[in-house]
Amino acid sequence: MRKKPNQIIGVLVAWLLIYVFFAINKPQTFLSISNVELLLRQSTMIGIGAVGMTYVIVAGGIDLSAGSVIALSSVVGALTFNRTQSPLAAVFACALTGVFCGLLNGLLTSKLKAGPFIVTLGSMLAIRGIAKGLADEKTVSTGGEGWLFEFISKTKSWFVFPIGTWLWIFFLGLMAWAMIYTNYGRNVVAVGSNESAAKLCGIAVDRVKTGAYAVAGFFFGLAGLMSLSRTSLGDPTSANGDELRIIAAVVIGGASLSGGEGSVIGAAIGALIMATISMGGTQMGVANWKQEIFTGIIILAAVAIDRWRIARRQTT
């Protein structure tokens, strides 16, 4: 099943409580519009990746290659821009790189009938290696001029928030709608809820799963575009560990790692919760290791709640 509205409200309330806590302790900075803009800007890359990861997790899978795909997309986008001087070509290069990697993960998972954890662990290493090879183990500099480098710009923001944040909000609405109102979205939920039952109902399970990985790849490619836009570099070592942050955002947002349940809106709030803790902790002078412990406790609490919910459902 999809995430119930009251469960999303619960995650939203948790985020608001965390925000209010930091606002009380740092009212001069934390309540300002510029702080909200910074919070959204820092959440955009993880948030965009979490949109795609939600589809994979709801379909009953997992994708550990997200960070590597982000790095490879930024490298391919930078190389394409340097070769063509076309920002549009670089945008397509990032997106297509992500879709290709996602399709590969989906096909390998479906055809090999191996666990997605193992398959994407292997592709995580391979894709990171390809990124380093293409970049000759160096960062690819682009010069950083033109609209391609204004998606996450602080000074070139459009209507309060950067363009990249508006893109995130647009895809949030689109993919939330798609999961509820399209046949494909409903099939993703059905496959994640009960794969055997989905097969009996005539759903092409392998095709649905492969599609979910391709969708995720597109959003990882888009996150790679945001990385390229922010740093003006194609960096093969970037986004290291972002796959875990993206998965954490989806889990904090209420998705079940058993599949069949999750929400892109919840995942977005999960990304905001992690960014709020990071920003608030930094402004209050809390050591980074303490922030990581607190974030880890929240993730464990989200997993414990999910397991409790599943156990309660099985006994009723």
Short mmCIF file of all heavy atoms in Angstrom, two decimals, residues 243-287:
data_model
loop_
_atom_site.label_atom_id
_atom_site.label_comp_id
_atom_site.label_asym_id
_atom_site.label_seq_id
_atom_site.Cartn_x
_atom_site.Cartn_y
_atom_site.Cartn_z
N GLU A 243 24.52 7.62 -1.65
CA GLU A 243 23.51 6.56 -1.78
C GLU A 243 22.88 6.26 -0.41
O GLU A 243 21.67 6.01 -0.31
CB GLU A 243 24.11 5.28 -2.38
CG GLU A 243 25.25 4.66 -1.62
CD GLU A 243 26.59 5.31 -1.95
OE1 GLU A 243 26.65 6.13 -2.87
OE2 GLU A 243 27.58 5.00 -1.26
N LEU A 244 23.70 6.31 0.64
CA LEU A 244 23.18 6.03 1.98
C LEU A 244 22.32 7.19 2.48
O LEU A 244 21.30 6.98 3.15
CB LEU A 244 24.33 5.77 2.96
CG LEU A 244 25.22 4.57 2.60
CD1 LEU A 244 26.31 4.38 3.64
CD2 LEU A 244 24.39 3.30 2.49
N ARG A 245 22.72 8.42 2.15
CA ARG A 245 21.91 9.58 2.55
C ARG A 245 20.56 9.55 1.83
O ARG A 245 19.52 9.89 2.42
CB ARG A 245 22.67 10.87 2.24
CG ARG A 245 23.98 11.02 3.02
CD ARG A 245 24.68 12.33 2.71
NE ARG A 245 25.99 12.36 3.34
CZ ARG A 245 27.12 11.96 2.76
NH1 ARG A 245 27.10 11.55 1.50
NH2 ARG A 245 28.26 11.98 3.40
N ILE A 246 20.58 9.17 0.57
CA ILE A 246 19.33 9.11 -0.20
C ILE A 246 18.42 8.02 0.35
O ILE A 246 17.21 8.24 0.55
CB ILE A 246 19.64 8.86 -1.70
CG1 ILE A 246 20.31 10.10 -2.30
CG2 ILE A 246 18.38 8.51 -2.47
CD1 ILE A 246 20.86 9.89 -3.70
N ILE A 247 18.98 6.85 0.62
CA ILE A 247 18.17 5.76 1.20
C ILE A 247 17.64 6.17 2.57
O ILE A 247 16.48 5.92 2.91
CB ILE A 247 19.02 4.47 1.30
CG1 ILE A 247 19.34 3.93 -0.10
CG2 ILE A 247 18.29 3.40 2.12
CD1 ILE A 247 20.37 2.81 -0.11
N ALA A 248 18.49 6.85 3.36
CA ALA A 248 18.07 7.30 4.68
C ALA A 248 16.89 8.26 4.58
O ALA A 248 15.94 8.18 5.37
CB ALA A 248 19.24 7.97 5.41
N ALA A 249 16.94 9.18 3.60
CA ALA A 249 15.84 10.13 3.43
C ALA A 249 14.53 9.40 3.14
O ALA A 249 13.47 9.73 3.68
CB ALA A 249 16.16 11.12 2.30
N VAL A 250 14.62 8.38 2.28
CA VAL A 250 13.41 7.62 1.91
C VAL A 250 12.87 6.85 3.12
O VAL A 250 11.65 6.81 3.36
CB VAL A 250 13.72 6.65 0.75
CG1 VAL A 250 12.48 5.82 0.39
CG2 VAL A 250 14.19 7.42 -0.47
N VAL A 251 13.77 6.25 3.90
CA VAL A 251 13.35 5.47 5.07
C VAL A 251 12.78 6.38 6.15
O VAL A 251 11.73 6.10 6.74
CB VAL A 251 14.54 4.65 5.62
CG1 VAL A 251 14.17 3.99 6.95
CG2 VAL A 251 14.94 3.58 4.62
N ILE A 252 13.46 7.50 6.42
CA ILE A 252 12.94 8.46 7.40
C ILE A 252 11.56 8.96 6.97
O ILE A 252 10.67 9.18 7.79
CB ILE A 252 13.91 9.65 7.57
CG1 ILE A 252 15.20 9.19 8.26
CG2 ILE A 252 13.27 10.77 8.39
CD1 ILE A 252 16.29 10.25 8.31
N GLY A 253 11.39 9.08 5.64
CA GLY A 253 10.11 9.53 5.12
C GLY A 253 9.00 8.51 5.23
O GLY A 253 7.86 8.79 4.84
N GLY A 254 9.32 7.32 5.74
CA GLY A 254 8.27 6.35 6.02
C GLY A 254 8.18 5.18 5.08
O GLY A 254 7.28 4.35 5.22
N ALA A 255 9.10 5.07 4.10
CA ALA A 255 9.05 3.94 3.17
C ALA A 255 9.45 2.66 3.90
O ALA A 255 10.27 2.68 4.82
CB ALA A 255 9.97 4.17 1.99
N SER A 256 8.84 1.55 3.46
CA SER A 256 9.17 0.26 4.05
C SER A 256 10.24 -0.42 3.19
O SER A 256 10.07 -0.55 1.97
CB SER A 256 7.93 -0.62 4.11
OG SER A 256 8.28 -1.93 4.48
N LEU A 257 11.32 -0.87 3.83
CA LEU A 257 12.37 -1.58 3.08
C LEU A 257 11.87 -2.95 2.61
O LEU A 257 12.56 -3.62 1.84
CB LEU A 257 13.62 -1.73 3.94
CG LEU A 257 14.39 -0.42 4.20
CD1 LEU A 257 15.54 -0.65 5.18
CD2 LEU A 257 14.93 0.17 2.89
N SER A 258 10.70 -3.37 3.07
CA SER A 258 10.11 -4.61 2.58
C SER A 258 9.33 -4.40 1.28
O SER A 258 8.87 -5.36 0.67
CB SER A 258 9.15 -5.18 3.64
OG SER A 258 9.83 -5.43 4.85
N GLY A 259 9.20 -3.14 0.86
CA GLY A 259 8.52 -2.83 -0.39
C GLY A 259 7.04 -2.58 -0.20
O GLY A 259 6.45 -2.89 0.83
N GLY A 260 6.42 -2.02 -1.25
CA GLY A 260 4.98 -1.82 -1.26
C GLY A 260 4.48 -0.60 -0.55
O GLY A 260 3.29 -0.30 -0.59
N GLU A 261 5.37 0.14 0.08
CA GLU A 261 4.92 1.29 0.86
C GLU A 261 5.98 2.39 0.82
O GLU A 261 7.17 2.12 1.03
CB GLU A 261 4.66 0.87 2.30
CG GLU A 261 3.88 1.88 3.10
CD GLU A 261 3.42 1.31 4.44
OE1 GLU A 261 3.55 0.08 4.64
OE2 GLU A 261 2.94 2.08 5.27
N GLY A 262 5.53 3.59 0.57
CA GLY A 262 6.47 4.71 0.51
C GLY A 262 5.85 5.88 -0.22
O GLY A 262 4.82 5.75 -0.89
N SER A 263 6.46 7.03 -0.08
CA SER A 263 5.92 8.25 -0.67
C SER A 263 7.07 9.18 -1.02
O SER A 263 7.99 9.37 -0.23
CB SER A 263 4.98 8.92 0.34
OG SER A 263 4.86 10.29 0.07
N VAL A 264 7.00 9.77 -2.22
CA VAL A 264 8.04 10.72 -2.61
C VAL A 264 7.94 11.99 -1.75
O VAL A 264 8.95 12.65 -1.48
CB VAL A 264 7.95 11.07 -4.11
CG1 VAL A 264 8.30 9.88 -4.96
CG2 VAL A 264 6.58 11.60 -4.48
N ILE A 265 6.72 12.33 -1.31
CA ILE A 265 6.56 13.48 -0.43
C ILE A 265 7.23 13.19 0.92
O ILE A 265 7.94 14.02 1.48
CB ILE A 265 5.06 13.81 -0.22
CG1 ILE A 265 4.37 14.07 -1.56
CG2 ILE A 265 4.93 15.01 0.72
CD1 ILE A 265 4.88 15.27 -2.30
N GLY A 266 7.00 11.98 1.45
CA GLY A 266 7.64 11.60 2.71
C GLY A 266 9.16 11.61 2.58
O GLY A 266 9.88 12.05 3.49
N ALA A 267 9.66 11.13 1.43
CA ALA A 267 11.12 11.11 1.20
C ALA A 267 11.68 12.54 1.18
O ALA A 267 12.79 12.79 1.67
CB ALA A 267 11.43 10.39 -0.10
N ALA A 268 10.91 13.46 0.59
CA ALA A 268 11.36 14.86 0.56
C ALA A 268 11.46 15.43 1.97
O ALA A 268 12.42 16.13 2.31
CB ALA A 268 10.38 15.69 -0.28
N ILE A 269 10.47 15.09 2.80
CA ILE A 269 10.51 15.56 4.19
C ILE A 269 11.69 14.91 4.91
O ILE A 269 12.35 15.54 5.74
CB ILE A 269 9.18 15.25 4.90
CG1 ILE A 269 8.02 15.95 4.19
CG2 ILE A 269 9.23 15.70 6.35
CD1 ILE A 269 6.65 15.54 4.70
N GLY A 270 11.97 13.64 4.58
CA GLY A 270 13.13 12.97 5.16
C GLY A 270 14.43 13.69 4.83
O GLY A 270 15.31 13.84 5.68
N ALA A 271 14.55 14.14 3.57
CA ALA A 271 15.74 14.90 3.16
C ALA A 271 15.82 16.21 3.92
O ALA A 271 16.91 16.65 4.33
CB ALA A 271 15.70 15.15 1.65
N LEU A 272 14.67 16.85 4.12
CA LEU A 272 14.65 18.11 4.87
C LEU A 272 15.03 17.90 6.33
O LEU A 272 15.71 18.73 6.93
CB LEU A 272 13.26 18.75 4.77
CG LEU A 272 12.88 19.33 3.41
CD1 LEU A 272 11.42 19.75 3.39
CD2 LEU A 272 13.78 20.52 3.06
N ILE A 273 14.59 16.77 6.91
CA ILE A 273 14.94 16.48 8.31
C ILE A 273 16.46 16.36 8.46
O ILE A 273 17.06 16.95 9.37
CB ILE A 273 14.24 15.18 8.77
CG1 ILE A 273 12.75 15.44 9.00
CG2 ILE A 273 14.87 14.65 10.06
CD1 ILE A 273 11.95 14.20 9.36
N MET A 274 17.09 15.61 7.54
CA MET A 274 18.55 15.44 7.64
C MET A 274 19.27 16.77 7.45
O MET A 274 20.24 17.07 8.16
CB MET A 274 19.02 14.40 6.62
CG MET A 274 18.57 12.98 6.94
SD MET A 274 19.52 11.74 6.07
CE MET A 274 19.16 12.19 4.39
N ALA A 275 18.81 17.57 6.48
CA ALA A 275 19.47 18.87 6.23
C ALA A 275 19.25 19.82 7.41
O ALA A 275 20.15 20.59 7.77
CB ALA A 275 18.92 19.49 4.95
N THR A 276 18.06 19.77 8.02
CA THR A 276 17.77 20.64 9.17
C THR A 276 18.68 20.30 10.35
O THR A 276 19.22 21.19 11.02
CB THR A 276 16.29 20.49 9.59
OG1 THR A 276 15.45 20.81 8.47
CG2 THR A 276 15.97 21.43 10.75
N ILE A 277 18.84 18.99 10.60
CA ILE A 277 19.72 18.57 11.70
C ILE A 277 21.16 19.03 11.43
O ILE A 277 21.85 19.53 12.32
CB ILE A 277 19.67 17.04 11.87
CG1 ILE A 277 18.28 16.62 12.38
CG2 ILE A 277 20.75 16.56 12.83
CD1 ILE A 277 18.07 15.12 12.37
N SER A 278 21.60 18.87 10.17
CA SER A 278 22.97 19.26 9.82
C SER A 278 23.18 20.77 9.98
O SER A 278 24.13 21.22 10.62
CB SER A 278 23.26 18.83 8.38
OG SER A 278 24.52 19.28 7.97
N MET A 279 22.23 21.55 9.43
CA MET A 279 22.37 23.01 9.50
C MET A 279 22.23 23.52 10.92
O MET A 279 23.01 24.36 11.40
CB MET A 279 21.32 23.68 8.61
CG MET A 279 21.66 23.65 7.13
SD MET A 279 20.39 24.49 6.16
CE MET A 279 20.40 26.11 6.91
N GLY A 280 21.19 23.01 11.63
CA GLY A 280 20.95 23.47 13.00
C GLY A 280 22.09 23.08 13.92
O GLY A 280 22.53 23.89 14.76
N GLY A 281 22.57 21.85 13.76
CA GLY A 281 23.68 21.41 14.58
C GLY A 281 24.93 22.24 14.35
O GLY A 281 25.64 22.61 15.31
N THR A 282 25.20 22.57 13.09
CA THR A 282 26.37 23.38 12.76
C THR A 282 26.25 24.78 13.37
O THR A 282 27.21 25.31 13.94
CB THR A 282 26.54 23.48 11.23
OG1 THR A 282 26.68 22.16 10.69
CG2 THR A 282 27.76 24.31 10.87
N GLN A 283 25.05 25.37 13.24
CA GLN A 283 24.86 26.73 13.77
C GLN A 283 24.94 26.77 15.29
O GLN A 283 25.31 27.78 15.89
CB GLN A 283 23.51 27.28 13.30
CG GLN A 283 23.47 27.58 11.81
CD GLN A 283 22.15 28.20 11.36
OE1 GLN A 283 21.43 28.79 12.15
NE2 GLN A 283 21.85 28.06 10.08
N MET A 284 24.59 25.64 15.95
CA MET A 284 24.67 25.60 17.41
C MET A 284 26.03 25.11 17.89
O MET A 284 26.27 24.98 19.09
CB MET A 284 23.58 24.67 17.96
CG MET A 284 22.17 25.24 17.85
SD MET A 284 20.92 24.12 18.53
CE MET A 284 21.42 24.04 20.25
N GLY A 285 26.91 24.80 16.94
CA GLY A 285 28.26 24.36 17.31
C GLY A 285 28.32 22.91 17.76
O GLY A 285 29.27 22.51 18.44
N VAL A 286 27.31 22.12 17.37
CA VAL A 286 27.32 20.69 17.72
C VAL A 286 28.31 19.96 16.82
O VAL A 286 28.30 20.16 15.60
CB VAL A 286 25.90 20.09 17.56
CG1 VAL A 286 25.92 18.59 17.89
CG2 VAL A 286 24.91 20.81 18.46
N ALA A 287 29.13 19.14 17.42
CA ALA A 287 30.14 18.41 16.65
C ALA A 287 29.48 17.51 15.61
O ALA A 287 28.38 16.98 15.82
CB ALA A 287 31.01 17.56 17.59
#
